[in-house]
Amino acid sequence: GIYDEEYLKYVIKILLKAKEHKLRCFIDPHQDMWSRFSGGSGAPGWTFDVAGLEPKNFFKTGAAIVHSQYPDPANFPQMVWNTNVNKLAAATMYILFFGGNTFAPKLVYEGQKVQDFLQSHFFSAFAELAKRIVDTPGLADSVVVGYDTFNEPMGGWIGRKDLTKLDEHQVRNDNTPTPFQAMLLGEGIPCEVEYYKMTKLGAIRTPNRLIDPKNLRAWQKSSGCIWALHDVWDKKTKKLVKPDYFFRNPLTGVAVEFSKDFWRPYVRNFDSIIRSIHSQAILFVDPSPYHIPPAWNAAEGDPVDRICFSPHWYDGYTLVTKSYTSLVNPDIIGYIRKKYKLEVFAVKFGERAIKKSIVNQLDVIRNEGLTLYGEYPCLMGEIGIPFDMDGKSAYSTGNYNSQIKSMDMTMNALERNLINFTVWNYCPDNTHEWGDGWNGEDLSLWSRSTHQPQYRSISDNHAGSPASDITHVFQSSPINITNMEGLRQRSQKNLIEEETVIDLADDIPLQIINHKSKTSYGDGTLSSDLLSAIQLQSHSSTDLPDEHHNSGARALKAFSRPFPILTPGEPRAVSFDMSKQQFVFTFCHPTPEAISAFKNEVVSRSLIRFGWPSADRLTRAFTTPIETTLNELRAHIAKLSVEIYLPRVYFPTEAMVETWSSDELNSVTNSCRSLWRIDIKSQRLFYTCSCAVLILQQIDALLDTLAAISSPKSAHSISNASRPKQISANDTHEIQGAIWAPSTMEMSPEIEHTVIVRAANSRKPSISKVGKELLEKRKKAKGSKLGRGRLDLDEEETTCCDCSPCSIM
């Protein structure tokens, strides 16, 4: 095949940049609505040639609503992809790609059946990318950990029982033809189709509209409708012949299911191609969104090694209406799974009910993965919110409350279900006018149109000007009010000083605000003497002011929240209360195998077994192997620390960090305090539980004892001492002040800890009081039917899962 070498080089550069920042990635074969030419993104234009389609005529024939062809691009219908995916262009290409051999066997291109031709070129393209990754030192596995199977796979009309009807689950927006009407329109035949207008209340049907292609066809001149070619309808009579053509296998007559019969075989082939090049790659299995995924079957060839369940989910109501409300929101997952006898019951009213519904929806998805795929990790491959809510009002007012509330509700659901996730999206060229740059979508966490403060150093000859006089910013769009408040505070504190320097983006015009004279945005022109005073130097990002780190971010306080980066065990419950600025994390770590090995070693070869032996027996009992075992164990236990991300938006200084752990209430370890270490520069908090600290102390004591009794003087004094009675392995044995209690080393199979981290605020109850109340609520909730990792939303305070209290049993 012919590959875009420049793009491949670009991808490798991005991955190498990720390596510099110690980021890990997975490759996503991303597409929406098949291609940019059919109203989405993904496949190149030549794929339509394979099908005989003519993209230039898609809009006028109703085959796709394409932004570049739309008469009024600024008023492009919002989130129209739900309709586009069922129109002629995208639906046909999905059918051909996944099921062409079944439903279009007469279509052959360059000697191959169309499905084989399309898939072979797709596999070759991603095989080429995988080769580049593997051949680039330091990328495979350490940076690129795996590959998504295919972004949000769709079956087009596969599985439709009646081509004269719309899909009952289809979100309808703008012109919405049935599959048969789409076929007629593609041949230039006028049709009156249903029309829907998207409002804050959802899609509202309006009078039908006539689409008249005026003799234009969606097919190339040398081609015709491939569905007429396969006798689905008759071009002469304009009648539908086989309304259930895509519901059954045309050869066998057996009903088909897209995910089971077409998507799973594709995944097997994709997996075999990728693993033949990148053998240790993780396969991120991405099924059709919102629908129940098919059961995995190893006996039929489905991959079972190194896979991750990677579904997608959005708050569909907020996404398609581009509006957030705490009054009403439907349970989409429950509705599609026919959870409710009446559809009206799927509608939730009030913020508490909506919040609980979203948590439950993600719980259903996660459990389906466990049930249908197996005990594999779950990573939400896409989740996010639209930022251009309510007619983009936030961009002019600076009020992002709706976006913050919506993002917080989404993040809360992820936390309470202990689901890993990647947020859609980060778009480096996002603007308030055009959003993410395609189809009017605007989901980027960052926008170049949002306030971009930048700082420059002013040399000595300009030091006379007060630092508060001038602040350098970028962009001519409205300023985010929250960030401007931060600018004013920093100006008052005289923090923009002579030595403050920053890297400057070359493609953004310099703008100036003079707070005293209230000068409006400038045109970027500066006097030569001031230009000469500006110093551009490479600067560590961690030394820059917060406005720089946060500049361009949207809904930052909802998105940038504490979370456990590393956990020495199993996370049990996570929650973050944005209003209280309080993070609660419960985890459970098993007794490390090394501890058991250490205990057996010491019991079998130590003083406990030999009592007070002679010097020669001491030499044989305590040799280098035991000391090596102890030191190795110590190094292992020392790593048993939780690493928590502390976002500077909540914790700008160490003084703002307040911590508590359930270790304070443990009867066994309350005499041994847990360890906390804060690194504000790297935005990290490290917590070592008291039981790990206790073990470290005991190991250190034993090492000290070994060092003492291995000396000739100590050995002589012990060998000549009176021999005490034999001491059992379950007793406490004391030697020269070193205490080892085997009963505490022989801990329960699971040790649970709860930590609370919050922003310090004297007006709040003491953190110890909060912690005690939290554990009391957990004790009361013990025995309830809450699932692991789930939290009781009926409680005002955060409550944890139904596992045992935080103690060493």
Side-chain angles (χ1 to χ4, degrees), residues 173-233:
N173 191 8
D174 207 86
N175 296 318
T176 311
T178 66
F180 179 47
Q181 287 177 326
M183 294 177 190
L184 293 172
L185 288 167
E187 279 292 341
I189 302 171
C191 289
E192 189 177 89
V193 304
E194 293 184 13
Y195 185 87
Y196 294 83
K197 183 176 179 59
M198 189 60 64
T199 70
K200 289 185 177 182
L201 298 177
I204 304 298
R205 184 173 178 179
T206 64
N208 291 354
R209 293 194 178 185
L210 176 68
I211 298 179
D212 185 357
K214 300 185 184 302
N215 296 321
L216 282 177
R217 297 168 64 248
W219 304 95
Q220 296 177 4
K221 292 181 180 180
S222 59
S223 305
C225 178
I226 60 175
W227 307 124
L229 176 66
H230 288 84
D231 301 322
V232 179
W233 67 288

Side-chain angles (χ1 to χ4, degrees), residues 410-708:
T410 295
M411 299 293 287
N412 170 76
L414 291 164
E415 291 166 347
R416 291 178 183 257
N417 282 290
L418 297 175
I419 294 178
N420 309 289
F421 61 93
T422 59
V423 173
W424 182 270
N425 65 46
Y426 165 71
C427 183
D429 54 0
N430 177 285
T431 64
H432 288 170
E433 182 179 7
W434 297 110
D436 299 336
W438 75 292
N439 291 342
E441 290 198 13
D442 193 353
L443 282 80
S444 179
L445 290 166
W446 182 92
S447 175
R448 65 169 58 228
S449 295
T450 306
H451 175 48
Q452 303 279 329
Q454 301 285 350
Y455 301 86
R456 293 199 173 179
S457 64
I458 307 300
S459 63
D460 291 340
N461 61 323
H462 289 278
S465 301
S468 59
D469 283 359
I470 189 167
T471 301
H472 302 269
V473 299
F474 289 90
Q475 293 301 329
S476 57
S477 53
I479 289 187
N480 180 295
I481 292 174
T482 303
N483 284 343
M484 275 303 298
E485 179 60 30
L487 270 178
R488 285 194 289 270
Q489 292 172 358
R490 294 194 70 85
S491 294
Q492 292 165 3
K493 295 178 182 179
N494 202 31
L495 289 181
I496 304 178
E497 298 177 345
E498 297 176 19
E499 297 304 318
T500 305
V501 291
I502 187 172
D503 286 322
L504 213 55
D506 294 330
D507 58 342
I508 307 177
L510 178 65
Q511 309 292 336
I512 297 177
I513 297 177
N514 187 307
H515 291 293
K516 283 191 172 182
S517 62
K518 297 183 180 179
T519 303
S520 61
Y521 287 98
D523 61 0
T525 303
L526 296 176
S527 62
S528 58
D529 61 333
L530 186 56
L531 277 173
S532 64
I534 295 174
Q535 303 171 11
L536 301 183
Q537 301 176 18
S538 176
H539 201 287
S540 171
S541 62
T542 55
D543 295 332
L544 297 173
D546 288 347
E547 304 84 89
H548 168 73
H549 291 289
N550 302 341
S551 64
R554 307 194 285 189
L556 181 66
K557 287 190 174 182
F559 168 70
S560 184
R561 50 212 283 141
F563 67 89
I565 298 174
L566 293 174
T567 304
E570 177 187 352
R572 288 289 180 85
V574 177
S575 69
F576 178 65
D577 189 315
M578 194 172 64
S579 61
K580 297 177 182 178
Q581 302 178 49
Q582 178 173 290
F583 172 72
V584 181
F585 177 45
T586 298
F587 72 98
C588 178
H589 65 73
T591 303
E593 295 180 359
I595 294 179
S596 299
F598 157 71
K599 175 179 173 292
N600 294 334
E601 178 81 1
V602 174
V603 167
S604 63
R605 301 180 61 188
S606 72
L607 296 176
I608 290 178
R609 177 175 180 179
F610 295 108
W612 292 105
S614 62
D616 61 326
R617 295 188 69 182
L618 273 174
T619 302
R620 292 197 302 272
F622 292 101
T623 57
T624 302
I626 289 184
E627 293 178 343
T628 301
T629 300
L630 289 173
N631 282 306
E632 288 177 351
L633 176 62
R634 193 189 193 290
H636 178 77
I637 298 298
K639 296 178 181 178
L640 298 183
S641 294
V642 176
E643 183 178 344
I644 298 172
Y645 170 66
L646 290 183
R648 60 171 52 89
V649 69
Y650 288 105
F651 306 99
T653 66
E654 186 171 340
M656 286 293 295
V657 183
E658 193 175 7
T659 60
W660 178 90
S661 78
S662 57
D663 297 345
E664 296 180 15
L665 304 181
N666 286 340
S667 58
V668 176
T669 62
N670 57 12
S671 60
C672 179
R673 302 301 295 264
S674 52
L675 298 180
W676 300 88
R677 182 169 66 86
I678 300 172
D679 186 342
I680 288 296
K681 188 173 183 179
S682 65
Q683 302 181 82
R684 297 291 190 272
L685 181 145
F686 300 89
Y687 159 76
T688 305
C689 62
S690 58
C691 55
V693 175
L694 180 61
I695 295 170
L696 289 172
Q697 290 178 347
Q698 294 165 350
I699 293 173
D700 288 342
L702 281 170
L703 287 170
D704 290 343
T705 300
L706 284 173

Side-chain angles (χ1 to χ4, degrees), residues 315-325 329 385-386 389 406:
D315 173 3
Y317 179 84
T318 301
L319 182 68
V320 299
T321 65
K322 293 195 176 184
S323 177
Y324 169 81
T325 175
N329 196 298
I385 66 164
M389 296 182 186
S406 179

Side-chain angles (χ1 to χ4, degrees), residues 177-441:
T178 66
F180 179 47
Q181 287 177 326
M183 294 177 190
L184 293 172
L185 288 167
E187 279 292 341
I189 302 171
C191 289
E192 189 177 89
V193 304
E194 293 184 13
Y195 185 87
Y196 294 83
K197 183 176 179 59
M198 189 60 64
T199 70
K200 289 185 177 182
L201 298 177
I204 304 298
R205 184 173 178 179
T206 64
N208 291 354
R209 293 194 178 185
L210 176 68
I211 298 179
D212 185 357
K214 300 185 184 302
N215 296 321
L216 282 177
R217 297 168 64 248
W219 304 95
Q220 296 177 4
K221 292 181 180 180
S222 59
S223 305
C225 178
I226 60 175
W227 307 124
L229 176 66
H230 288 84
D231 301 322
V232 179
W233 67 288
D234 190 307
K235 292 174 67 173
K236 292 182 179 179
T237 62
K238 304 176 184 177
K239 299 293 184 181
L240 184 63
V241 179
K242 301 175 181 178
D244 63 346
Y245 181 74
F246 298 105
F247 181 68
R248 304 179 187 280
N249 185 310
L251 295 178
T252 65
V254 177
V256 297
E257 185 178 323
F258 166 69
S259 293
K260 175 185 176 183
D261 300 319
F262 301 98
W263 174 68
R264 279 174 57 218
Y266 156 82
V267 171
R268 296 170 200 154
N269 292 332
F270 181 77
D271 175 69
S272 64
I273 294 294
I274 293 297
R275 297 281 179 88
S276 68
I277 301 165
H278 190 163
S279 60
Q280 294 301 305
I282 297 171
L283 191 69
F284 290 82
V285 181
D286 179 1
S288 296
Y290 297 106
H291 296 282
I292 301 175
W296 224 232
N297 192 328
E300 295 180 1
D302 293 333
V304 295
D305 180 44
R306 298 181 66 77
I307 71 172
C308 176
F309 181 49
S310 187
H312 293 184
W313 183 90
Y314 291 89
D315 173 3
Y317 179 84
T318 301
L319 182 68
V320 299
T321 65
K322 293 195 176 184
S323 177
Y324 169 81
T325 175
S326 59
L327 299 178
V328 62
N329 196 298
D331 174 5
I332 297 177
I333 295 297
Y335 167 71
I336 292 177
R337 284 150 182 75
K338 303 187 183 302
K339 174 182 176 181
Y340 305 98
K341 292 182 179 180
L342 297 176
E343 293 181 2
V344 68
F345 293 147
V347 181
K348 306 302 177 183
F349 298 93
E351 185 171 356
R352 185 180 294 272
I354 294 171
K355 195 172 186 178
K356 189 172 184 177
S357 171
I358 293 176
V359 171
N360 289 337
Q361 288 182 61
L362 296 195
D363 180 54
V364 168
I365 294 173
R366 178 175 61 96
N367 283 322
E368 285 176 348
L370 293 172
T371 302
L372 299 173
Y373 288 80
E375 293 288 333
Y376 297 107
C378 176
L379 180 141
M380 194 63 65
E382 269 191 37
I383 196 166
I385 66 164
F387 284 91
D388 55 342
M389 296 182 186
D390 304 320
K392 304 183 179 181
S393 61
Y395 301 159
S396 58
T397 66
N399 186 343
Y400 282 78
N401 285 343
S402 292
Q403 290 86 344
I404 290 173
K405 289 179 180 178
S406 179
M407 178 64 79
D408 179 55
M409 195 168 287
T410 295
M411 299 293 287
N412 170 76
L414 291 164
E415 291 166 347
R416 291 178 183 257
N417 282 290
L418 297 175
I419 294 178
N420 309 289
F421 61 93
T422 59
V423 173
W424 182 270
N425 65 46
Y426 165 71
C427 183
D429 54 0
N430 177 285
T431 64
H432 288 170
E433 182 179 7
W434 297 110
D436 299 336
W438 75 292
N439 291 342
E441 290 198 13

Side-chain angles (χ1 to χ4, degrees), residues 43 81 104 150 218 284 697-698 731 749 761:
W81 59 266
F150 188 97
F284 290 82
Q697 290 178 347
Q698 294 165 350
D731 292 333
N761 189 328

